[in-house]
Amino acid sequence: MTENIYTPSRLNNEVKIILENNYSGLWLTGEISGYKLHSGNAYFKIKDAHAQVNAVMWKSTADVLKFAPQDGAQVNIFGRLSAYPKRGDYQIVVSRMEPSGEGELYKQFELLKTKLSEEGIFDAEHKRPLPKVISKVGIITSKDGAALHDILAVFKKSAANFETIIYPVQVQGEKAKFEIAEAIEHLNADYPDIDVLLIGRGGGSIEDLWAFNEEIVVRAIYNSKIVAISCVGHETDNTLADFAADHRAPTPTYAAEMVAQINESVQIKLDGAYKTLLYEISRKTEFLSQKLNIFARALKKPHLIYENKLTYVDDLSRRMLSAINNLCKLQEIKLENKANALNMVSPLNVLKRGYSIASFNGAVVKSKSRLKKADIIEIIFSDGKVSAEVK
């Protein structure tokens, strides 16, 4: 009776033997998912619409492939089934792989990428630079994911000082695309003072990251008035959200470092300006202190303060009097010259040369035709005048 009671180890070992004996070589077709390399060995899943099978391809096989496998690619693989008794898992050990066409998700990705690209959603002219100073950061990701932990850990270690607004969302599954798009719109509407948005999650298969390839999410990122940084997955992962965002970070940690470095750079500049200001204040204080000491010493001998000033005033007084005298002499010379010029044309000057002037009724007689007999005229000489009657 006891020989028919199995232990997990016995059962798994017998299953391993059955699998390896009955499925020593088979072809399997499906879509690659979760493709990862470790020490040259490839670990992934082959899936269809309803199920998936674990697969491993050793380095010796992976090195001779004529194409680069990637998530979403449709392939045909040949290999043997094997089991891992400790975990009770089974997998196909791949010895040959051939491409059989693109996977359905990859086709959807390329179609939507082409459509949105033609609309200009990914154009570089729509990309905005990061703010020069950041005071508030919005984070859209899972509240339980490693991405949030990594972002906050970077912020905690850095010298950057800003407020964080965390909007938890599902980042995987049917509801994820709606929650992510709603979070972007909500933060834009209710927190317009946010300087930058971090939108992302940790790495995973193409299915895990698919919410960030959904059109509703891509358009929400494109329409965001707040500068958006997409930080989805690992360095090799690419989503349509990356193309629509203003900036793309290869990982959530790198996105946090991008943001933190901005304020750290500003802080360094402020520290430098502060040190310069302290130096200038110290230098000015020392200069004023020296002048104050000189003045204090002068107070002990007050005459030293005003003696120099009196000398200065005397000098100014002498210079002013000299300038006034020179100006008066110059004006006297000008006046004398003008008097001489007037004298040259004066009628009195003409009379001195032997001429005389006849006037009648106060007017100079220029012609004899103005006079008649018995008119009394006045004749002016240089030394006086006489009256005369016209005969």
Side-chain angles (χ1 to χ4, degrees):
M1 183 68 180
T2 56
E3 64 270 12
N4 292 325
I5 299 177
Y6 281 81
T7 63
S9 297
R10 178 185 171 190
L11 179 61
N12 285 347
N13 282 323
E14 288 191 11
V15 169
K16 175 179 171 68
I17 293 171
I18 292 170
L19 288 174
E20 291 181 350
N21 287 340
N22 289 277
Y23 298 93
S24 57
L26 62 89
W27 282 97
L28 185 66
T29 187
E31 184 180 306
I32 294 177
S33 176
Y35 190 88
K36 290 182 177 62
L37 287 174
H38 181 69
S39 301
N41 303 318
Y43 299 89
F44 54 98
K45 294 177 177 63
I46 294 294
K47 56 172 282 188
D48 58 19
H50 306 289
Q52 61 185 23
V53 177
N54 291 329
V56 61
M57 182 167 54
W58 306 125
K59 185 176 186 299
S60 58
T61 302
D63 286 345
V64 297
L65 287 179
K66 296 181 179 179
F67 70 103
Q70 58 184 341
D71 285 359
Q74 196 78 18
V75 294
N76 297 326
I77 59 174
F78 181 81
R80 59 182 175 82
L81 289 186
S82 180
Y84 187 59
K86 284 189 175 182
R87 290 201 302 262
D89 296 338
Y90 85 93
Q91 62 189 4
I92 181 169
V93 181
V94 180
S95 58
R96 184 175 176 184
M97 178 185 286
E98 298 174 350
S100 64
E102 297 172 334
E104 188 59 32
L105 286 178
Y106 184 72
K107 289 180 182 178
Q108 294 179 34
F109 178 92
E110 287 299 324
L111 286 173
L112 184 56
K113 181 181 178 183
T114 300
K115 172 189 171 183
L116 297 177
S117 180
E118 289 175 350
E119 291 184 30
I121 300 294
F122 307 140
D123 289 354
E125 63 191 49
H126 297 298
K127 310 297 182 186
R128 294 163 294 184
L130 289 171
K132 294 182 178 180
V133 179
I134 295 178
S135 59
K136 187 176 290 188
V137 179
I139 305 172
I140 300 175
T141 189
S142 170
K143 65 182 177 63
D144 302 317
L148 180 60
H149 175 270
D150 293 343
I151 291 170
L152 295 180
V154 171
F155 288 169
K156 186 176 181 180
K157 290 179 182 178
S158 73
N161 182 24
F162 41 67
E163 181 184 354
T164 55
I165 305 295
I166 301 171
Y167 198 115
V169 294
Q170 294 186 46
V171 293
Q172 189 173 336
E174 288 299 318
K175 295 181 180 179
K177 60 183 179 182
F178 300 110
E179 291 191 7
I180 296 169
E182 181 183 345
I184 296 170
E185 293 167 0
H186 175 77
L187 291 181
N188 270 270
D190 294 355
Y191 296 92
D193 57 337
I194 288 178
D195 299 298
V196 64
L197 282 179
L198 302 187
I199 308 166
R201 54 155 291 163
S205 65
I206 189 172
E207 297 94 335
D208 297 336
L209 308 180
W210 192 252
F212 296 90
N213 289 320
E214 296 284 2
E215 185 171 356
I216 187 174
V217 173
V218 175
R219 292 191 181 277
I221 292 174
Y222 174 77
N223 292 325
S224 173
K225 295 179 182 178
I226 303 170
V227 175
I229 300 178
S230 173
C231 48
V232 182
H234 301 301
E235 286 196 42
T236 55
D237 297 323
N238 282 293
T239 65
L240 296 180
D242 296 330
F243 300 123
D246 297 292
H247 301 271
R248 187 247 174 182
T251 65
T253 299
Y254 191 89
E257 290 173 347
M258 287 171 61
V259 172
Q261 285 172 2
I262 291 175
N263 276 18
E264 287 175 350
S265 176
V266 172
Q267 188 61 49
I268 291 172
K269 291 179 180 178
L270 288 175
D271 289 343
Y274 178 70
K275 291 178 181 176
T276 301
L277 180 60
L278 285 181
Y279 170 76
E280 290 297 330
I281 291 174
S282 176
R283 190 173 66 86
K284 190 68 173 178
T285 302
E286 183 179 355
F287 172 72
L288 293 175
S289 178
Q290 291 175 355
K291 290 195 71 174
L292 185 60
N293 289 334
I294 294 172
F295 184 72
R297 288 196 300 270
L299 285 178
K300 296 177 181 179
K301 299 179 180 180
H303 65 280
L304 295 179
I305 298 176
Y306 62 79
E307 276 184 355
N308 289 337
K309 301 300 180 183
L310 290 175
T311 302
Y312 178 67
V313 171
D314 288 342
D315 182 57
L316 284 180
S317 178
R318 286 193 299 271
R319 289 163 60 187
M320 183 178 65
L321 291 174
S322 176
I324 291 173
N325 289 331
N326 291 336
L327 181 61
C328 289
K329 288 180 180 179
L330 179 63
Q331 293 301 322
E332 287 178 0
I333 293 172
K334 288 183 178 180
L335 183 60
E336 185 178 348
N337 289 337
K338 287 182 178 180
N340 291 334
L342 290 173
N343 191 48
M344 290 294 294
V345 296
S346 173
L348 295 177
N349 199 42
V350 175
L351 294 178
K352 288 180 181 181
R353 295 202 299 269
Y355 295 94
S356 62
I357 299 173
S359 65
F360 178 70
N361 292 335
V364 175
V365 179
K366 296 182 179 180
S367 171
K368 68 176 184 177
S369 61
R370 287 195 56 192
L371 302 174
K372 61 182 183 295
K373 282 185 177 182
D375 284 341
I376 302 299
I377 63 173
E378 192 174 65
I379 301 172
I380 302 170
F381 300 92
S382 62
D383 56 349
K385 55 186 177 180
V386 297
S387 296
E389 181 181 351
V390 177
K391 294 297 185 178

